[in-house]
Amino acid sequence: WKSEEDKDKISAYKTLYECLVTISRLCAPFTPFLSEEIYKNLTGSFGRGEESVHLESYPAADENLIDENLSFKMDTARKIVGLGRAVRSKVNIKIRQPVEKVLVYFDGDARKKEAINHFKDVIVSELNVKEIEFAGGLEELVSYDIKPNLSLLGKKYGSLVPKIREALLSENPIRTALKVKNDKNISLAVDGKQIELLPREVLVDIKNKEGFGVESDGEFTVGLSTAISEKLLEEGFCRELVHQIQNLRKEAGFKIENTIDTAIEPGIKENVLKKFKNYIMKETLSKSMGPDFKEGMFVKEVKVNDVKIKIGIKVAGSIV
């Protein structure tokens, strides 16, 4: 419902039009009357297309329009967003609560970095973070505690176990963890001898770095900062408030394009509401927002995060 007729909005309209017209052509043999109605509604007012959808050619894929590079970039962005949302779910941070940053680690493939940079704004928006950063190493996100599996090694190596533990601790924990993960043996020099430990003979305890929630799919590792400042908490409160007002609009039966007058119970988060007033009004299509409840308003008490707050809305300019 945004008012600006910008490139983004026009592109969305054109894409939707193309998809719906194509779907009406695809479905025409199976749902002839519904497809005809959709097709005529879309093309008739523009004087485009055939007299009937049933006079159209059946759609055929144009593989020349497939952009493999763009598809790779979008696939990469979707993976990052999916992992980031999994982190939010794991650490119980709502998607409407902004967080400071997302940290991404992968194998250093330049093509993947280009893809993330290409869709940086989309990833930041979808994950509701302020910035995205690339981790220089996996140790920026996780730490590994490597131990010998005493129940197996005790019987096999006896008195050598303490020295095996020392040798394990002197190894790079990330390399050791990767070998265990990939089911590869770990070679150690112990008492002048070369010992091969089987993957099951080594225990790996992975811990997230303090202040981060982490998820990995083996290709990408994504860390989301879990420390939330007071400023971010205030923004999160207002985003949740906007969500509740949108729900009230639906419940009251308002049309999506209706502008409204909004009243919010005084005495609750007044400084925060004042700071984000313009944002709240823009997102909810409010022409006015204040503490005064007008006659005829749809009024309801809702819970915004852990705060109960009474909200009233009515269509702007409506006479009761």
Side-chain angles (χ1 to χ4, degrees):
W1 59 31
K2 68 178 185 176
S3 57
E4 302 89 356
E5 292 291 334
D6 59 10
K7 183 180 177 182
D8 187 49
K9 189 173 185 178
I10 297 301
S11 295
Y13 283 151
K14 287 184 175 180
T15 302
L16 181 61
Y17 178 87
E18 180 71 19
C19 289
L20 291 176
V21 170
T22 302
I23 288 171
S24 71
R25 292 165 60 199
L26 282 168
C27 294
F30 313 103
T31 55
F33 301 110
L34 178 61
S35 297
E36 179 77 350
E37 181 78 9
I38 293 172
Y39 179 82
K40 293 298 290 181
N41 283 341
L42 289 167
T43 62
S45 58
F46 297 110
R48 296 178 181 173
E50 302 290 344
E51 187 177 347
S52 167
V53 70
H54 303 290
L55 298 176
E56 280 274 12
S57 299
Y58 199 70
D62 184 354
E63 295 190 3
N64 291 323
L65 295 177
I66 298 172
D67 188 333
E68 295 290 354
N69 187 42
L70 183 62
S71 296
F72 173 81
K73 289 176 179 177
M74 178 53 75
D75 185 54
T76 299
R78 287 170 63 90
K79 287 176 181 177
I80 302 301
V81 170
L83 289 170
R85 287 182 171 172
V87 174
R88 278 186 173 271
S89 178
K90 186 165 70 173
V91 300
N92 198 26
I93 298 178
K94 292 180 179 179
I95 193 65
R96 283 183 287 277
Q97 173 58 60
V99 298
E100 195 60 46
K101 65 180 177 181
V102 58
L103 205 55
V104 181
Y105 174 76
F106 51 97
D107 58 11
D109 186 335
R111 196 172 173 220
K112 292 175 183 176
K113 187 171 184 178
E114 182 190 357
I116 294 169
N117 282 327
H118 181 86
F119 281 114
K120 179 179 178 180
D121 291 343
V122 173
I123 295 169
V124 164
S125 175
E126 289 293 315
L127 289 181
N128 195 9
V129 298
K130 296 302 178 184
E131 58 181 326
I132 182 169
E133 295 180 3
F134 296 105
L138 199 53
E139 65 276 6
E140 292 183 35
L141 289 168
V142 295
S143 61
Y144 295 93
D145 186 15
I146 309 294
K147 301 175 183 176
N149 188 337
L150 297 178
S151 63
L152 297 177
L153 293 180
K155 298 174 184 177
K156 189 173 179 180
Y157 292 104
S159 60
L160 272 180
V161 168
K163 291 184 179 180
I164 291 174
R165 180 189 280 114
E166 289 178 16
L168 267 176
L169 291 175
S170 67
E171 292 288 307
N172 184 305
I174 297 175
R175 287 203 201 98
T176 303
L178 286 174
K179 285 181 180 179
V180 172
K181 181 180 178 181
N182 294 321
D183 203 31
K184 294 182 178 178
N185 293 350
I186 296 94
S187 298
L188 298 174
V190 181
D191 261 4
K193 299 176 183 178
Q194 204 67 21
I195 291 178
E196 292 274 331
L197 297 184
L198 301 175
R200 66 174 180 273
E201 294 174 335
V202 179
L203 301 176
V204 180
D205 185 18
I206 304 175
K207 296 179 181 177
N208 296 346
K209 285 289 187 181
E210 189 174 351
F212 282 93
V214 180
E215 277 290 339
S216 178
D217 63 358
E219 182 180 10
F220 296 97
T221 300
V222 171
L224 214 64
S225 54
T226 54
I228 302 174
S229 66
E230 186 63 31
K231 183 179 178 181
L232 290 176
L233 285 172
E234 291 176 354
E235 185 179 341
F237 177 86
C238 290
R239 283 175 176 263
E240 184 65 29
L241 176 64
V242 165
H243 175 67
Q244 293 295 343
I245 295 173
Q246 306 289 36
N247 287 342
L248 289 186
R249 287 179 61 107
K250 292 178 187 175
E251 198 173 332
F254 295 171
K255 294 179 181 178
I256 194 169
E257 70 273 12
N258 284 150
T259 56
I260 62 173
D261 294 319
T262 302
I264 297 177
E265 183 180 0
I268 299 177
K269 302 274 189 181
E270 288 183 345
N271 290 335
V272 176
L273 295 179
K274 184 178 179 181
K275 190 187 301 183
F276 289 90
K277 183 176 180 179
N278 290 338
Y279 163 77
I280 297 168
M281 290 179 66
K282 181 181 178 182
E283 291 295 312
T284 59
L285 293 186
S286 296
K287 290 192 73 174
S288 68
M289 189 180 96
D292 300 323
F293 287 77
K294 301 176 183 178
E295 186 179 352
M297 276 188 160
F298 181 82
V299 180
K300 189 173 182 180
E301 186 179 71
V302 298
K303 199 171 184 181
V304 181
N305 294 341
D306 294 323
V307 179
K308 288 184 178 179
I309 184 169
K310 187 168 73 172
I311 300 172
I313 57 173
K314 66 178 291 190
V315 176
S318 62
I319 301 173
V320 179

